[in-house]
């Protein structure tokens, strides 16, 4: 303890200590002289005074600390002197690390993060798979995917299946269901707001093991049709809307005008089990039809052919996924078989398929995992380029410092001490880059979130840099620093001191390297060629994604999307029903038509090219039903308002568009597109023909009154399907109209009309909020958001790669020409002119480019095949994209190489020869 | 170059020699300590200054000795070292250890 105190005292009085030691030694020598020893002999006997002092000093301090602070001071000084070097290295590494940190955080949030529930590894998501498209599924609300091995996979089940599974269950300790209930209008204390909701069965919270943060959980008793309607909030929504006020518990509210009581708040960080949908509100499953205003919807709980509810179970301890699937597969099969009435249906029954549920439902994974892996690969390449840059800079500098190091070794510095000093510099560099990289990562995450957030779906993933990512980032930084600092450090300290001391700046410090022709290929050349190869890969990807977007933008829509304002309202949630609802919508539509600045206005039940599809089977006279298990005649459809074809400027090629005659009552009329007409009425006029949509009691007979030119329906990428346009006015329940989209064609900027539109709707009814005001063009752009995101990000990455590779090339060439100053001087003295010198240097650049590009194209050929499914209207080996990318790369390389070349050509032969 | 090499001070015993010297002569400067060891050992043991001063510093850190600047006999300022109680204890410890070891060595080399 006292010792520590004394050492600290020393640290405070360093100068006095040095003076005293000096004086003491002087005194010692004088005494010796007085005793008759010759002064110079006395000193010789005294030995190395500096070493003595150092030893004395080291008695007082912690040696490692002393040396570390020395090393750091020295390193900072060196970094300050070589500002450009430091900046290049830190920025390269920071960008590489930051990009990785950002993408990794996303990977973590989307692919790896588990649900914040009890023992998530025990959860299993129930899905089914079937050969063909499972005709026993008469109606389906939810999603289905193509199964990896053929057939269809879907997470939606008929409600009675839940009871059947539970009665036969031996594998699960809990089994529960949930369904996304969409946007609901929730009014609390006369304040209305749209909330995201999930309907859950009584066993949901208990089964997941999510506790209540306040109030109580929704339990089995709440999940009965006769129970009073209750609701639970998520913690986030409770905090953001109510400031975490406990008085909210027990409060009466209305949801879509239905009275409910808020009874509890879920634990923090729980937003429902679907990672991409951030729920605000939970409602018991039994009340789902009530709050979603589907009074006839109780039937959904009985219908065995209506697939909608999603199921999850918690495995009993020791039960595997496979065992549970084997145990429950039979009972489910028996139940589903009992719902099939036709042989066709029995031929392809859905079979149970369990998947791990720990990360929530996997639709988001399916959608984003491949893009994220590709992004991960891209940023990985960027990190590689950055590391190559740092390695190149470090080794160039280590070569330049050989003399300095030789001097230090010659003066008696230990080899380990010198290596440690060089390492300190590398680690310091890496730490700086790591810290800057965190900043880059934070900015990158914000950028990615903005790019990913889709306007209408409330896409929301909680992404934050967590400590693991932080650690990961630092690890990369430090590993890179140590790795690329150590190799040159080991190499330079192994040198034989004498020749290095004799060596002059301009002679070749590099003894290794392969002679090939007149070029000398060393480590730096390999690194630069590697950088060129990697950059080529990234630039080609950027080129492909950018061309994909431009291809998508130049798709012929078949209608005019310019100058159209788009918004939607849902008057049914404000209490309008039946005829009142229709006349409300008609009123709004006609007022919009006469609004100042509007040319025309119409409405539809979904936005055009908005990524949505309604499809149904049809019966066309003369067209036979298909063989068992295959898709029969069908049509996509949209229900539209008056003057739809005029407003959207879809040309009518035969018959007529909709007018007052189609306003309801009478017979049902339809306009079909050319694809429909050519598919189902080949070689004859479709106008005047009849067909029917749907089946059973909902069957709708239609007369075709017109044929429109084929326009894009749901997506820019897909082929235009057969489409039927129906006037929404004449379509009777149960195909009721709910939400309606309005399209207003304007003279100028559509968004200038936004306030007028809000005013019109408010005047029609103050209870109906206007939602999603946007332009038709922006709505279409939303559907290719992922492609645009990829184009933007890959262009950023490609640019980044180019800059880094150029810096690397510039550094290598600048170093090389500086090394050859002498040689160039001699060449010029012997009559080489400037152009020749420039050509000489650039030929080296060209050789590097050729080598890099050769490797790069091989990589492109292999790598871009992975991108194929994400491209549109082109092949991964699109010659245009390849040529442009290679051209850009070569141009950058030559610019980077030209600067050192020009500098070399300005060398004055006399100065160069004297520069020894 | 000297023809004969002087025997070195056995490693680990320098502290003990310095402590013992200070115990015998009281406060003394570094040069005096070195001289005393050399004279008392009949010029057999010669303390290198390069080891003496770092050793004194280490002993200061450990608190075995304390230092003080004083006027010396011929009116010069010198740093005088003296034993602390802690140093006295350390000396006893080192002497005890040394006796054990040297006794053991003697027994080994004189065994027939």
């Amino acid at each position: 303890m006292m010792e520590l105190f004394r050492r600290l005292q020393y640290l405070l009085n360093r100068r006095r200590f040095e003076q005293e030691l000096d004086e003491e030694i002087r005194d010692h020598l004088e005494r010796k002289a007085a005793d008759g020893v010759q002064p110079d002999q006395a000193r010789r006997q005294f030995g190395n005074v500096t070493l003595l002092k150092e030893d004395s000093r080291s008695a007082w301090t912690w040696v490692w600390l002393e040396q570390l602070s020395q090393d750091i001071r020295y390193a900072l000084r060196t970094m300050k002197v070589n500002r450009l070097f430091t900046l290049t290295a830190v920025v390269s590494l920071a960008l590489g690390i930051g990009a990785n940190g950002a993408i990794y955080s996303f990977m973590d949030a989307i692919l790896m993060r588990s649900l914040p529930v009890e023992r998530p590894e025990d959860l299993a998501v129930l899905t089914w798979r079937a050969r063909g498209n499972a005709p026993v599924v008469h109606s389906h609300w939810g999603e289905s995917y193509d199964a990896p091995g053929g057939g269809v996979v879907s997470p939606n089940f008929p409600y009675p299946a839940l009871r059947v599974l539970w009665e036969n269950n031996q594998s699960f300790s809990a089994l529960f269901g949930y369904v996304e209930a969409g946007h609901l209008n929730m009014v609390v204390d006369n304040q209305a707001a749209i909330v995201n909701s999930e309907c859950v069965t009584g066993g949901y919270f208990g089964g997941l093991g999510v506790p209540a943060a306040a109030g109580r959980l929704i339990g089995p008793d709440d999940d009965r049709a006769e129970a009073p309607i209750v609701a639970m909030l998520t913690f986030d929504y409770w905090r953001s809307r109510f400031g975490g006020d406990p008085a909210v518990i027990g409060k009466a509210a209305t949801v879509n005008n239905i009275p409910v009581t808020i009874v509890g708040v879920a634990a923090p960080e729980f937003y429902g089990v679907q990672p991409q949908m951030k729920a605000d509100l939970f409602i018991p499953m039994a009340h789902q039809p009530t709050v979603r205003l589907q009074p006839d919807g109780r039937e959904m709980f009985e219908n065995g052919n209506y697939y909608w509810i999603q199921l999850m179970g918690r495995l009993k301890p020791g039960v595997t996924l496979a065992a549970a699937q084997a145990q429950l597969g039979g009972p489910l099969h028996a139940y589903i078989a009992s719902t099939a009435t036709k042989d066709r249906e029995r031929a392809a029954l859905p079979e149970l398929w369990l998947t791990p549920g720990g990360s929530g439902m996997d639709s988001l994974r399916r959608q984003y995992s491949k893009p994220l892996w590709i992004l991960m690969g891209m940023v990985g390449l960027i990190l590689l380029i950055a590391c190559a840059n740092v390695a190149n800079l470090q080794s160039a500098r280590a070569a330049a410092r050989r003399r300095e190091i030789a001097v230090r070794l010659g003066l008696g510095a230990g080899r380990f001490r010198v290596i440690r000093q060089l390492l300190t510099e590398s680690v310091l560099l890496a730490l700086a880059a790591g810290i800057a990289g965190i900043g880059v990562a934070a900015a990158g995450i914000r950028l990615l979130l903005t790019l990913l957030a889709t306007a209408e779906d409330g896409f929301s993933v909680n992404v934050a840099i967590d400590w693991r990512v932080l650690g990961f980032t630092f690890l990369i930084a430090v590993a890179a620093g140590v790795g690329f600092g150590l190799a040159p450090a080991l190499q330079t300290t192994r040198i034989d001191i004498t020749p290095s001391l004799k060596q002059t700046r301009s002679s070749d410090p590099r003894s290794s390297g392969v002679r090939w022709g007149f070029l000398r290929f060393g480590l730096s050349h390999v690194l630069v060629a590697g950088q060129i190869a990697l950059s080529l890969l990234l630039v080609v990807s950027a080129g492909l994604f950018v061309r994909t977007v431009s291809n998508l933008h130049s798709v012929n829509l078949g209608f005019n999307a310019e100058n159209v304002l788009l918004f939607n309202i849902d008057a049914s949630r404000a209490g309008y029903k039946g005829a009142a609802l229709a006349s409300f919508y008609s009123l709004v539509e006609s007022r919009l038509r006469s609004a100042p600045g509007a040319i025309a206005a119409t409405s539809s039940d979904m936005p055009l090219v908005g990524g949505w599809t309604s499809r149904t089977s049809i019966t066309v006279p003369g067209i036979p039903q298909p063989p068992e298990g295959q898709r029969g005649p069908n049509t996509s459809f949209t229900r539209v308002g008056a003057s739809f074809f005029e407003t959207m400027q879809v040309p009518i090629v035969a018959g007529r568009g909709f007018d007052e005659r189609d306003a309801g009552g009478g017979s049902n009329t339809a306009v079909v597109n050319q694809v429909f007409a050519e598919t189902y009425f080949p070689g004859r006029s479709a106008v005047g023909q009849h067909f029917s949509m749907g089946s059973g009691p909902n069957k709708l007979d239609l007369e075709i009154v017109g044929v429109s030119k084929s326009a894009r329906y749901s997506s820019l990428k897909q082929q235009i399907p057969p489409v039927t346009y129906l006037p929404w006015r004449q379509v009777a329940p149960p195909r009721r109209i709910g939400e309606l989209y309005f399209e207003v064609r304007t003279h100028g900027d559509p968004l200038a009309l936004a306030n007028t539109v809000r005013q019109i709707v408010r005047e029609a009814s103050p209870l109906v909020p206007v939602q999603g005001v946007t332009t038709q063009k922006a709505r279409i752009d939303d559907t290719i958001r992922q492609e645009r995101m990829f184009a933007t990000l890959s262009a950023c990455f490609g640019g980044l790669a180019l800059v880094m590779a150029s810096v690397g090339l510039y550094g290598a060439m600048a170093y090389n020409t500086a090394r050859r100053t002498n040689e160039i001087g001699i060449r010029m003295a012997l009559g080489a002119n400037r152009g020749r010198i420039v050509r000489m240097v650039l030929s080296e650049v060209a050789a590097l480019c050729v080598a890099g590009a050769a490797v790069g194209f091989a990589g492109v050929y292999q790598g871009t095949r992975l991108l194929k499914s994400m491209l549109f209207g082109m092949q991964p080996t699109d010659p245009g994209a390849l040529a442009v990318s290679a051209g850009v790369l070569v141009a950058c390389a030559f610019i980077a190489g030209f600067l050192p070349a020009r500098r070399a050509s300005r060398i004055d032969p006399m100065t160069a020869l004297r520069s020894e | 170059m000297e023809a004969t090499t002087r025997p070195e001070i056995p490693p680990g015993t320098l502290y003990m020699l310095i402590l013992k010297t200070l115990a015998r002569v009281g406060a003394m400067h570094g040069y005096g300590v070195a001289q005393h060891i050399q004279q008392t050992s009949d010029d057999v043991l010669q303390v290198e200054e390069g080891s003496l001063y770092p050793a004194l510093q280490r002993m200061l850190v450990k608190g075995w000795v304390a230092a003080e600047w004083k006027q010396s006999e011929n009116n010069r300022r010198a740093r005088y070292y003296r034993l602390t109680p802690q140093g006295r204890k350390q000396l006893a410890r080192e002497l005890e250890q040394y006796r054990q070891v040297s006794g053991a060595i003697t027994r080994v080399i004189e065994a027939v």
Side-chain angles (χ1 to χ4, degrees):
Chain A
M1 208 54 238
M2 284 302 289
E3 191 177 325
L4 181 70
F5 178 71
R6 280 193 291 272
R7 281 180 193 243
L8 289 176
Q9 236 176 4
Y10 159 77
L11 283 179
L12 296 175
N13 301 305
R14 268 187 129 129
R15 184 158 302 175
R16 213 183 79 204
F17 172 87
E18 297 282 338
Q19 282 169 359
E20 287 184 351
L21 196 64
D22 276 346
E23 195 179 337
E24 192 170 25
I25 290 164
R26 211 167 37 242
D27 176 59
H28 187 106
L29 289 173
E30 281 166 15
R31 278 171 201 276
K32 226 170 184 172
D35 283 358
V37 186
Q38 289 302 310
D40 60 328
Q41 197 193 335
R43 182 159 297 129
R44 198 170 327 124
Q45 200 189 357
F46 214 101
N48 189 336
V49 178
T50 318
L51 194 65
L52 181 153
K53 284 192 193 170
E54 201 140 274
D55 281 349
S56 305
R57 224 179 280 133
S58 71
W60 287 97
T61 55
W62 296 275
V63 182
W64 58 270
L65 186 72
E66 175 93 341
Q67 293 188 345
L68 182 68
S69 77
Q70 257 177 26
D71 284 350
I72 290 176
R73 272 201 306 274
Y74 186 76
L76 287 177
R77 228 168 26 233
T78 326
M79 285 164 88
K80 212 165 135 191
V81 173
N82 300 292
R83 226 166 283 146
L84 190 67
F85 164 83
T86 309
L87 202 69
T88 317
V90 168
V91 169
S92 302
L93 261 188
L95 287 173
I97 290 165
N100 273 279
I103 300 292
Y104 186 85
S105 296
F106 261 82
M107 292 282 282
D108 186 53
I110 292 180
L111 302 183
M112 294 162 195
R113 192 174 293 169
S114 288
L115 289 170
V117 301
E118 213 174 87
R119 285 176 290 114
E121 64 280 3
D122 289 348
L123 292 174
V125 171
L126 282 72
T127 64
W128 53 261
R129 62 193 300 179
R131 285 177 293 114
N133 55 340
V136 74
V137 181
H138 293 178
S139 351
H140 188 180
W141 172 31
E143 7 182 21
S144 62
Y145 318 100
D146 292 333
V152 177
V153 178
S154 167
N156 306 105
F157 288 86
Y159 186 82
L162 174 59
R163 198 185 58 242
V164 171
L165 285 168
W166 187 239
E167 281 166 1
N168 292 284
N169 167 52
Q170 292 162 19
S171 310
F172 290 120
S173 59
L175 184 66
F176 47 90
Y178 49 91
V179 70
E180 202 181 313
H183 300 294
L184 302 175
N185 185 358
M186 179 162 92
V187 180
V188 182
D189 294 334
N190 289 323
Q191 298 279 316
I194 298 290
V195 295
N196 270 325
S197 60
E198 189 166 76
C199 286
V200 301
T201 61
Y204 178 87
F205 286 102
L208 285 171
V210 172
R216 66 172 179 89
L217 295 167
I218 290 176
D221 288 343
D222 300 307
D223 189 18
R224 289 178 293 122
E226 62 277 15
I229 308 181
V230 298
M232 262 178 80
L233 305 174
T234 54
F235 191 79
D236 253 23
Y237 192 68
W238 183 46
R239 290 281 288 273
S240 63
R241 182 164 173 192
F242 304 107
D245 181 6
V248 173
I249 313 297
K251 205 160 221 168
T254 66
V255 169
N256 283 358
N257 267 344
I258 309 291
V260 304
T261 311
I262 298 169
V263 293
V265 176
E269 306 219 338
F270 183 74
Y271 309 105
V273 291
Q274 321 212 23
Q276 85 283 19
M277 211 242 357
K278 195 172 167 182
D280 303 313
L281 190 73
F282 299 100
I283 304 270
M285 188 63 78
H287 302 299
Q288 196 239 122
T290 320
V291 295
R292 298 187 70 233
L293 306 175
Q294 294 174 320
D296 47 347
R298 293 232 66 83
E299 193 250 344
M300 71 197 298
F301 293 114
E302 313 299 332
N303 190 335
N305 300 103
Y306 180 24
Y307 283 62
W308 58 276
I309 195 170
Q310 289 171 259
L311 300 176
M312 213 187 244
R314 181 177 285 284
L315 293 166
K316 283 182 181 168
V319 178
T320 64
L321 217 55
Q325 177 162 321
Q327 191 263 308
L328 285 168
L332 184 73
H333 178 88
Y335 168 72
I336 291 178
S338 75
T339 65
T341 50
K342 302 189 183 92
D343 286 343
R344 195 165 68 87
E345 295 176 350
R346 286 187 200 99
L349 287 179
E351 303 292 349
L352 185 66
W353 193 28
L354 296 181
T355 59
S359 306
M361 276 301 303
D362 57 358
S363 71
L364 194 68
R365 282 191 207 202
R366 198 184 326 273
Q367 202 181 344
Y368 285 100
S369 65
K370 188 170 179 201
L372 276 172
W373 282 114
I374 288 174
L375 287 179
M376 194 75 182
M378 284 180 158
V379 293
L381 292 183
I382 288 192
L383 189 65
L384 266 182
I385 295 177
C387 287
N389 248 357
V390 174
N392 219 344
L393 287 166
Q394 291 270 40
S395 65
R397 209 158 65 105
R401 284 173 70 176
R402 280 170 86 89
R403 251 176 82 88
E404 176 205 330
I405 287 165
V407 167
R408 288 167 65 181
L409 289 172
L411 288 179
R415 184 170 171 225
F416 176 71
R417 188 77 178 74
V418 172
I419 290 180
R420 207 173 62 174
Q421 211 278 308
L422 293 175
L423 270 183
T424 308
E425 273 185 51
S426 313
V427 171
L428 218 59
L429 208 67
L431 283 183
I435 291 166
I438 291 165
V440 175
I445 286 176
R446 257 204 305 281
L447 180 74
L448 273 176
L449 273 178
T450 323
L451 288 170
L452 279 175
T454 46
E456 32 100 43
D457 282 333
F459 172 95
S460 144
V461 175
N462 272 332
V463 183
I465 315 183
D466 62 24
W467 287 103
R468 277 184 307 155
V469 175
L470 211 69
F472 180 74
T473 312
F474 265 116
L475 215 66
I476 295 175
V478 173
V482 170
F484 295 115
L486 196 59
L490 284 175
Q491 197 202 342
T492 34
T493 53
R494 224 179 12 235
I495 51 177
D496 186 7
I497 296 168
T498 325
S500 288
L501 282 174
K502 286 185 187 152
Q503 172 202 316
T504 52
R505 200 163 54 85
S506 49
S507 56
D508 188 5
R510 209 173 307 228
S511 48
S512 63
V514 184
R515 259 190 177 284
W516 188 34
F518 61 96
L519 283 171
R520 191 180 275 279
F521 281 92
L523 176 68
S524 78
H525 288 100
V526 174
L527 286 172
V528 169
Q531 284 182 316
I532 290 175
L534 293 177
S535 321
L536 185 70
L537 202 57
L538 287 171
V539 172
V540 168
S541 316
L544 291 173
F545 287 128
V546 168
R547 286 252 345 236
T548 290
V549 168
S550 90
N551 283 351
L552 284 169
H553 273 301
S554 56
V555 161
N556 183 15
L557 290 171
F559 64 92
N560 182 359
E562 300 289 335
N563 289 344
V564 175
L565 181 80
L566 186 69
F567 69 94
N568 61 300
I569 56 179
D570 189 349
S572 68
R573 287 191 195 145
Y576 287 90
K577 287 192 183 81
L581 185 67
S583 61
F584 177 80
Y585 283 153
S586 297
L587 174 76
V588 172
E589 197 183 270
S590 65
R591 288 209 184 149
L592 287 171
R593 206 165 283 140
S594 55
I599 301 171
T602 186
S603 54
S604 55
D605 66 344
M606 63 171 81
L608 287 185
V609 196
W612 297 353
T613 299
S614 301
R615 188 165 48 207
T616 180
S617 56
I618 54 174
T619 318
V620 184
I623 303 252
Q625 282 301 312
E628 302 291 298
Q630 278 185 25
R631 196 187 285 281
N634 62 81
T635 182
S636 300
F637 63 93
T638 308
R639 292 174 290 169
V640 301
S643 61
F644 174 80
F645 298 99
E646 295 84 337
T647 309
M648 299 314 288
Q649 299 182 358
V650 181
I652 297 289
V653 293
R656 62 175 178 85
F658 295 127
D659 54 30
E660 289 69 35
R661 279 171 283 178
D662 310 295
S667 69
N668 289 321
T669 50
V671 171
V672 297
N673 70 355
Q674 276 173 310
V675 176
F676 187 106
E678 280 155 20
T679 309
Y680 300 121
F681 303 101
R684 54 196 168 125
S685 168
V687 177
Q689 304 284 353
H690 287 257
F691 70 100
S692 53
M693 275 171 68
S695 57
N698 297 336
K699 194 165 175 168
L700 192 64
D701 288 311
L702 293 165
E703 182 194 347
I704 298 172
V705 295
V707 176
S708 74
K709 204 156 181 298
S710 293
R712 292 277 153 187
Y713 174 71
S714 105
S715 124
L716 292 175
K717 286 180 164 184
Q718 284 165 8
Q719 290 286 316
I720 300 177
V723 179
T724 307
Y725 299 96
L726 310 158
W728 55 256
R729 284 178 179 77
Q730 65 187 17
V731 182
R735 298 181 186 279
R736 294 173 319 110
I737 202 87
E739 190 177 47
L740 204 61
Y741 284 77
F742 287 85
E743 292 91 0
V744 185
R745 183 166 295 283
T746 60
H747 280 293
D749 174 20
L751 287 177
L753 249 72
N755 279 331
T756 319
V757 160
R758 286 204 180 86
Q759 182 64 28
I760 287 171
V761 175
R762 199 175 313 122
E763 277 168 14
S765 165
L767 293 175
V768 179
V770 170
Q771 296 176 51
V773 179
T774 180
T775 64
Q776 177 68 54
K777 229 174 131 49
R779 191 69 188 74
I780 295 173
D781 271 354
D782 265 357
T783 65
I784 55 168
R785 191 175 278 270
Q786 185 177 312
E787 286 82 358
R788 288 191 302 142
M789 179 188 87
F790 256 78
T792 313
L793 282 180
S794 62
C796 288
F797 291 161
L800 212 60
L802 269 183
V803 169
M804 285 194 203
S806 302
V807 168
L809 186 69
Y810 170 81
M813 295 320 291
Y815 170 70
N816 251 7
T817 49
R819 185 166 64 76
R820 289 166 65 185
T821 306
N822 218 5
E823 175 204 331
I824 292 168
I826 292 172
R827 281 174 189 266
M828 292 183 81
L830 292 179
N833 59 14
R834 285 184 173 186
R836 208 188 154 87
I837 300 296
V838 170
R839 275 201 300 282
M840 183 185 82
V841 176
L842 287 185
S843 71
E844 199 168 335
V845 174
L848 287 174
C849 277
V850 169
V855 177
F857 273 120
V860 164
Y861 182 71
Q862 289 298 317
T864 52
R865 279 192 297 194
L866 295 172
L867 310 180
K868 188 163 189 200
S869 67
M870 302 179 63
L871 303 178
F872 177 75
M874 64 198 302
Q875 287 300 309
T877 49
D878 183 71
L882 291 188
V884 169
S885 315
V888 169
L889 192 71
V890 168
C892 283
F894 275 87
I895 292 168
F898 183 69
L899 297 173
R902 200 180 54 172
R903 191 172 319 128
S905 74
R906 298 211 169 141
I907 289 173
D908 175 20
M910 288 320 288
T911 327
L913 291 173
R914 270 197 227 106
S915 78
E916 276 288 310
Chain B
M1 190 164 271
E2 284 178 76
T4 57
T5 52
R6 224 177 268 276
E8 298 217 342
I9 295 178
T13 57
L14 182 58
Y15 289 148
M16 185 177 70
L17 295 175
I18 296 172
L19 288 169
K20 182 70 197 172
T21 305
L22 290 178
R24 186 170 302 152
V25 303
M28 178 53 70
H29 45 72
Y31 183 73
V33 172
Q35 288 295 97
H36 184 267
I37 294 176
Q38 196 174 339
Q39 282 160 15
T40 318
S41 67
D42 296 332
D43 281 348
V44 174
L45 300 176
Q46 189 163 4
V47 184
E48 297 280 340
E49 288 86 348
S51 343
L52 174 67
Y53 284 99
L56 281 170
Q57 295 299 331
R58 275 192 286 275
M59 290 161 79
L60 275 174
V61 173
K62 300 217 194 280
W64 299 340
V65 298
E68 198 178 356
W69 287 90
K70 275 201 250 177
Q71 293 300 112
S72 70
E73 54 297 345
N74 43 5
N75 222 15
R76 268 210 300 240
R77 233 165 72 88
R79 178 142 59 176
Y80 277 80
Y81 298 88
R82 66 180 164 75
L83 220 52
T84 62
Q86 229 182 318
R88 214 169 284 279
K89 265 184 248 164
Q90 180 65 22
L91 176 60
R93 252 199 308 273
E94 301 226 345
L95 282 173
E96 171 63 20
Q97 252 172 31
Y98 179 75
R99 279 185 190 122
Q100 273 182 12
V101 172
S102 71
I105 291 174
T106 312
R107 278 196 298 283
V108 170
I109 59 179
E110 288 184 354
V112 182

